Amino acid sequence: MNILVLIKQTFDTEEKITLQNGKICEDGVNFIINPYDEYAIEEALKLRDLHGGEVTVITIGPERSENALRTALAMGADKAIIVDSEDQELDEHSISKVLAAVIKGRKYDLILGGNMAVDYGSGQVGPRLAEELDIPQITTITYIEVNGNQVIIERDVEGDKELVESSLPVLVTAQQGLNEPRYPSLPGIMRAKKKPIERLEIDDFDFEDDIDAKTVVTETYFPPKKDAGRILIGEIKDQVSELANLLRSEAKVL
């Protein structure tokens, strides 16, 4: 099987976010592979080991994103592709267009990605890319089994499970619970240094359609601090009356 894995480098979830001049400050920040993408990498490696083939990880990002690819290669991926997006304003529309340009013409049976990225959380890139490639897509998967040209998948739906069957090629996005991602081993880290990374520029492609971002961030700010809760005391009917008044006069939801 030829398996492609889409990954993104994101803030370490333990990092404290700070704003500077209305933008998120990246100075001194530790970046990691988006946690949902780690599930995609792990599942790709398991399927490759079971069925044979190779795993190629793909990312779009600045030069520092190569560290995420090296980690994926250390986990066991065979090849990597980075598309340099330094100084480029990209959104989910743009990213899906660029990924489609990278993937078209390459042989693949399965594309995996994370259900969403922990920074923006849109969950749009996978479905948009599948639309660009004109292949089926199944999101939030928690189980996948490949039998020849067919796949059987379980996906998370609001705490329940849905069973889906599809044919290859297909794009799927990984949800927590799909597997337990492995840690890169020392031998894996050493081997990763010798594995190939293909470097591309957005200008390398001739796009038929407009890839300019369709969304613009106009402001970035922290949510307002929540006030302490209020405990109502007294008889139940008095509490209900006071609650109704508060909902009308302060919360203004009635």
Side-chain angles (χ1 to χ4, degrees):
M1 292 183 67
N2 291 317
I3 305 172
L4 306 180
V5 184
L6 315 175
I7 71 172
K8 182 180 183 181
Q9 190 184 55
T10 60
F11 266 46
D12 189 327
T13 51
E14 300 296 322
E15 286 285 349
K16 181 180 179 180
I17 296 176
T18 59
L19 297 179
Q20 191 174 63
N21 299 322
K23 294 184 178 181
I24 296 175
C25 181
E26 297 185 357
D27 294 344
V29 170
N30 185 41
F31 288 90
I32 61 171
I33 295 176
N34 174 50
Y36 287 96
D37 298 346
E38 290 184 335
Y39 300 120
I41 296 169
E42 176 63 28
E43 199 64 25
L45 298 176
K46 290 170 63 177
L47 289 169
R48 180 206 57 194
D49 293 345
L50 185 62
H51 299 282
E54 63 180 21
V55 172
T56 303
V57 288
I58 305 173
T59 194
I60 298 175
E63 185 178 350
R64 59 170 166 76
S65 299
E66 184 176 326
N67 292 332
L69 292 180
R70 289 294 179 192
T71 300
L73 291 171
M75 290 173 69
D78 302 288
K79 300 177 182 177
I81 301 170
I82 182 170
V83 182
D84 185 6
S85 67
E86 202 83 52
D87 302 323
Q88 296 274 351
E89 293 294 334
L90 303 177
D91 64 356
E92 291 82 0
H93 164 79
S94 308
I95 292 169
S96 62
K97 292 283 187 182
V98 175
L99 285 172
V102 173
I103 292 171
K104 286 178 180 177
R106 299 177 189 265
K107 292 183 178 180
Y108 64 91
D109 301 292
L110 179 65
I111 301 176
L112 290 106
N115 177 48
M116 64 177 184
V118 295
D119 47 10
Y120 290 99
S122 70
Q124 289 189 34
V125 171
R128 282 177 175 268
L129 175 59
E131 185 71 16
E132 292 289 332
L133 298 174
D134 194 25
I135 61 174
Q137 55 95 7
I138 304 168
T139 59
T140 63
I141 75 164
T142 55
Y143 172 82
I144 180 171
E145 179 182 328
V146 179
N147 295 312
N149 194 46
Q150 300 295 118
V151 291
I152 299 173
I153 288 171
E154 285 184 2
R155 61 185 301 266
D156 179 58
V157 282
E158 301 294 335
D160 208 339
K161 291 183 179 180
E162 180 180 43
L163 187 65
V164 182
E165 294 186 22
S166 178
S167 59
L168 298 175
V170 64
L171 183 149
V172 301
T173 63
Q175 175 67 300
Q176 185 176 5
L178 175 61
N179 52 51
E180 188 64 37
R182 69 192 69 184
Y183 291 101
S185 64
L186 182 57
I189 293 171
M190 299 305 293
R191 286 193 294 268
K193 295 179 180 180
K194 299 180 181 179
K195 292 181 179 179
I197 294 182
E198 182 179 351
R199 292 173 174 82
L200 302 171
E201 304 280 343
I202 291 178
D203 292 340
D204 292 338
F205 304 99
D206 293 322
F207 296 98
E208 296 180 2
D209 302 319
D210 174 25
I211 69 162
D212 291 341
K214 302 300 182 183
T215 55
V216 177
V217 177
T218 58
E219 186 179 3
T220 302
Y221 57 90
F222 292 114
K225 291 184 179 180
K226 293 184 179 180
D227 295 330
R230 183 181 302 182
I231 299 176
L232 305 181
I233 59 176
E235 297 292 333
I236 294 297
K237 63 179 181 179
D238 295 331
Q239 292 184 41
V240 171
S241 178
E242 185 178 358
L243 176 61
N245 289 331
L246 292 171
L247 291 174
R248 184 182 302 109
S249 61
E250 293 189 14
K252 300 186 185 302
V253 295
L254 294 178

